[in-house]
Amino acid sequence: MANKRILVIEDEEDLLALVHFNLMKSGYEVETALTGEDGLSKARKVQPDLILLDLMLPEMDGLTVCRELKAQGETSQIPVIMLTAKGEEDDIVTGLELGACDYVTKPFSPKVLMARVKAALRDQGQKEGQGQEDLVRGDLIVRPGRREVMIQGEPVQLTDTEFRVLHFLAGRPGWVFTRYQIVNAVRGEDYIVTERSVDVQIAGLRRKLDVCGSYIETVRGVGYRFKDNL
Ligand code: CA
């Protein structure tokens, strides 16, 4: 099987070299670009399996690159992990809603970055998590087929919307979703979910999930995430 190919778009040459080195060491094929324009053209040419995209790029910024990638058929399916700086929460939210799958905040350890790269590639290979299979997460079991939630073997009563929010988040542990993405995922015919009401749903869920309430984490300024590695 051919090695996975990863395109890194980053204008800081030291960081680019470090990421390049670590990806190679992990057995990936690596392409690099120092500008958004070059990154876009390389993405089209080499069709990478994954793109690491710095948001703060000169001239064409990372969000514009992300928008372009997602707008074009030939690159729209390539997963994108954003490389961001602290304080870029608004941009992170925008990027996730544009279709980036994840982000890593600088400074990051190579180990963390490699773990996220692996997770993104694995996720792309499976595209599961929102099906009908039971989700077992720590002391929590979510059974979509029966609309049932069990905590340490005891059933928990949730509203329909709460159930959908939980099923959505628990389907991809470790991934951050914005309020807007959650609204889109759980949109029901009977009940209008707004970005504002997501917070209310989460608060209710945490209360009802009791000992498992902490499984749903708030990611400040960005959204919510179901805890990984329970
Ligand atoms: Ca930069």
Side-chain angles (χ1 to χ4, degrees):
M1 207 180 87
N3 288 344
K4 296 280 183 191
R5 189 180 296 150
I6 300 177
L7 170 63
V8 189
I9 309 175
E10 167 66 73
D11 64 313
E12 288 158 61
E13 298 196 33
D14 291 351
L15 184 60
L16 184 63
L18 179 74
V19 171
H20 189 166
F21 172 76
N22 280 284
L23 288 170
M24 296 250 296
K25 213 172 64 175
S26 298
Y28 298 111
E29 234 177 80
V30 188
E31 295 281 339
T32 61
L34 289 163
T35 65
E37 288 85 350
D38 189 32
L40 272 180
S41 83
K42 283 213 169 114
R44 285 185 209 117
K45 204 157 42 191
V46 305
Q47 291 287 310
D49 297 289
L50 176 74
I51 296 173
L52 299 182
L53 173 64
D54 179 29
L55 285 193
M56 292 269 274
L57 292 168
E59 293 162 49
M60 185 188 280
D61 66 83
L63 286 178
T64 307
V65 174
C66 187
R67 190 177 289 117
E68 291 282 315
L69 287 168
K70 294 297 167 185
Q72 295 174 4
E74 48 191 349
T75 53
S76 65
Q77 297 307 311
I78 304 171
V80 174
I81 298 179
M82 300 178 280
L83 305 179
T84 69
K86 278 210 173 60
E88 287 188 328
E89 279 79 8
D90 287 350
D91 288 345
I92 292 169
V93 168
T94 306
L96 291 172
E97 287 169 1
L98 283 173
C101 67
D102 199 4
Y103 67 94
V104 180
T105 306
K106 297 176 194 176
F108 46 78
S109 76
K111 208 173 140 195
V112 165
L113 181 66
M114 291 310 124
R116 308 296 271 279
V117 163
K118 219 169 136 188
L121 289 169
R122 188 183 57 214
D123 197 67
Q124 183 71 358
Q126 297 178 339
K127 281 279 179 200
E128 51 85 54
Q130 292 305 309
Q132 292 299 301
E133 71 273 24
D134 290 359
L135 304 175
V136 182
R137 308 281 184 249
D139 286 333
L140 181 75
I141 302 175
V142 183
R143 295 189 168 127
R146 299 158 72 167
R147 293 248 144 193
E148 191 176 67
V149 173
M150 310 283 283
I151 292 175
Q152 296 173 337
E154 296 291 321
V156 185
Q157 297 303 320
L158 299 181
T159 67
D160 191 48
T161 306
E162 286 168 346
F163 183 89
R164 290 192 217 190
V165 171
L166 178 63
H167 183 229
F168 176 66
L169 293 175
R172 293 178 74 191
W175 294 78
V176 183
F177 294 102
T178 68
R179 289 171 177 78
Y180 177 77
Q181 288 177 305
I182 295 171
V183 170
N184 268 337
V186 306
R187 203 188 290 271
E189 289 104 52
D190 46 339
Y191 180 76
I192 310 296
V193 186
T194 62
E195 290 191 47
R196 212 38 199 280
S197 70
V198 167
D199 296 336
V200 178
Q201 298 292 339
I202 297 276
L205 252 180
R206 281 186 178 138
R207 213 164 33 239
K208 291 183 185 176
L209 293 181
D210 192 40
V211 289
C212 298
S214 61
Y215 289 7
I216 301 175
E217 300 178 312
T218 302
V219 182
R220 272 191 69 162
V222 181
Y224 295 100
R225 163 178 62 205
F226 196 89
K227 226 186 237 177
D228 207 357
N229 302 320
L230 290 166

